[in-house]
Amino acid sequence: VMDTEALQLNVPSESQPCHDLLFNIQYLYPKMPKTFRKISDYLLSHPMDAERYSITQLAGKIGTNASNITRYCQAFGYSGFAEFKYRFGLSYKNLEQNLVDFQADDSVTVISRKLCKLYAGVFDDALLHLNPDVVESAVTAIYNASVANRRICLFGTGGSSYSAQMAELMFMQAGINCTAYIIPQLAVTAMAQLQHGDVAVFLSSSGNAVTTIDCMRRAKEAGATTIGITCDSGSLLGKGADIKLCYPCGIKNDIRLFPMLKISELSVISMIQLCVMLRGLPHDSRLLANTHESFFNAKNFY
């Protein structure tokens, strides 16, 4: 059995930036057993492979076995390979993003290139790291509620209020009857009147917006299925929602990049919308065709 105590001495806490994982791998490298150094060598040389391959495939690439990779991940304080590769991928993206600093003398061309790099990372974070089983649960809940003509409510406050309104439009275009609430007083009343079979979707980047959490609590007490969309799995929304869609987000606390958080939210909504549409297409093709024709022929607002 490999000794993992030495590796756990400098494991970053939850409050530290996740790029500390890369630092710890390199810092603890001299203290690692030979097998762990072999795994570290490969990961540092091929950082994208951790995300690209399953644990069995990665073990084959490295020339070790899956159990050694599991012990390696656990040595850094993670439950297993799934959690480790999520943190490692986010850590690597944060490292890349930290290298993209905007300067006062940047030309428009330079700024556009830097933004392209950042936005590409945002889409990767929002979509590639979502748990497919959790997404499937959200799609099923919304689809079933729509078919049964149950209520589907969306709520967001602050910047997420715009995401909630856009989500309402996207769902309506897909034939999903829903209502977005962005006024707290209306939202609190609506959530308290939900019933079993209804669905309430809550959007909050921080996952700790007071009104959002209060509305989620009321919806749960009323018996509705709650779906939380946030970038913080450890937040009140991330922990409290029945279905938790947590997208990693390495965006720095920079107000200039705030729109990227909303893009992440809408990317998750877009995935749900598309999955619901594809699931219902055989039955709702005429409805979708009518919606498509009405929307794209409405030249006064499209």
Side-chain angles (χ1 to χ4, degrees):
V1 178
M2 295 185 181
D3 180 15
T4 62
E5 292 300 319
L7 286 175
Q8 296 175 338
L9 293 177
N10 292 287
V11 170
S13 67
E14 288 296 320
S15 63
Q16 291 177 289
C18 59
H19 65 260
D20 279 0
L21 174 56
L22 280 176
F23 170 83
N24 272 265
I25 290 176
Q26 297 176 73
Y27 178 77
L28 296 172
Y29 183 89
K31 305 175 184 179
M32 293 181 184
K34 182 178 179 181
T35 301
F36 282 13
R37 288 200 301 271
K38 184 177 182 180
I39 296 173
S40 296
D41 287 337
Y42 188 89
L43 290 176
L44 294 174
S45 300
H46 307 82
M48 301 306 294
D49 283 8
E51 181 181 73
R52 184 178 297 120
Y53 298 116
S54 68
I55 187 172
T56 303
Q57 292 171 323
L58 185 63
K61 292 284 184 180
I62 298 174
T64 185
N65 55 60
S67 60
N68 281 335
I69 295 180
T70 297
R71 284 194 289 268
Y72 178 89
C73 299
Q74 292 172 342
F76 284 91
Y78 301 110
S79 59
F81 179 65
E83 184 181 7
F84 175 88
K85 77 172 182 178
Y86 156 69
R87 291 295 181 183
F88 183 84
L90 184 56
S91 171
Y92 183 71
K93 284 185 173 63
N94 277 348
L95 178 62
E96 286 191 315
Q97 288 181 358
N98 287 336
L99 298 176
V100 180
D101 294 319
F102 295 93
Q103 305 297 328
D105 58 352
D106 283 348
S107 67
V108 172
T109 300
V110 170
I111 291 173
S112 66
R113 289 176 179 173
K114 289 182 177 181
L115 280 175
C116 283
K117 182 176 182 181
L118 288 173
Y119 274 100
V122 167
F123 281 112
D124 284 350
D125 284 344
L127 299 178
L128 297 181
H129 291 88
L130 287 175
N131 186 323
D133 293 333
V134 178
V135 175
E136 180 63 34
S137 296
V139 170
T140 298
I142 292 174
Y143 179 79
N144 289 343
S146 179
V147 170
N149 290 319
R150 304 299 305 183
R151 293 185 64 186
I152 300 173
C153 299
L154 306 111
F155 178 73
T157 186
S160 293
S161 64
Y162 301 105
S163 299
Q165 289 178 299
M166 187 62 185
E168 178 185 35
L169 175 60
M170 293 167 66
F171 281 176
M172 291 292 287
Q173 289 171 349
I176 305 169
N177 192 18
C178 63
T179 305
Y181 295 93
I182 61 173
I183 301 175
Q185 293 87 342
L186 290 177
V188 167
T189 302
M191 300 307 166
Q193 294 178 358
L194 294 176
Q195 300 178 17
H196 180 74
D198 295 337
V199 174
V201 182
F202 301 94
L203 299 100
S204 172
S205 299
S206 71
N208 292 313
V210 175
T211 306
T212 301
I213 301 306
D214 183 41
C215 285
M216 179 187 68
R217 177 181 59 80
R218 293 173 184 271
K220 288 172 69 73
E221 290 175 351
T225 298
T226 57
I227 300 174
I229 300 177
T230 179
C231 66
D232 187 354
S233 60
S235 65
L236 295 175
L237 181 59
K239 292 179 178 179
D242 297 319
I243 300 173
K244 310 161 183 62
L245 290 169
C246 301
Y247 55 89
C249 185
I251 298 171
K252 295 181 292 185
N253 294 324
D254 188 335
I255 192 63
R256 297 172 300 178
L257 305 179
F258 180 75
M260 294 186 183
L261 289 172
K262 304 306 109 185
I263 289 174
S264 296
E265 289 179 342
L266 291 175
S267 295
V268 176
I269 288 292
S270 178
M271 175 179 284
I272 294 173
Q273 180 220 38
L274 179 58
C275 290
V276 172
M277 289 175 68
L278 292 175
R279 181 172 294 185
L281 274 178
H283 307 289
D284 304 326
S285 57
R286 186 63 250 170
L287 169 65
L288 293 175
N290 289 339
T291 301
H292 184 277
E293 181 180 1
S294 299
F295 182 78
F296 286 100
N297 283 341
K299 295 182 174 59
N300 58 316
F301 64 82
Y302 172 67

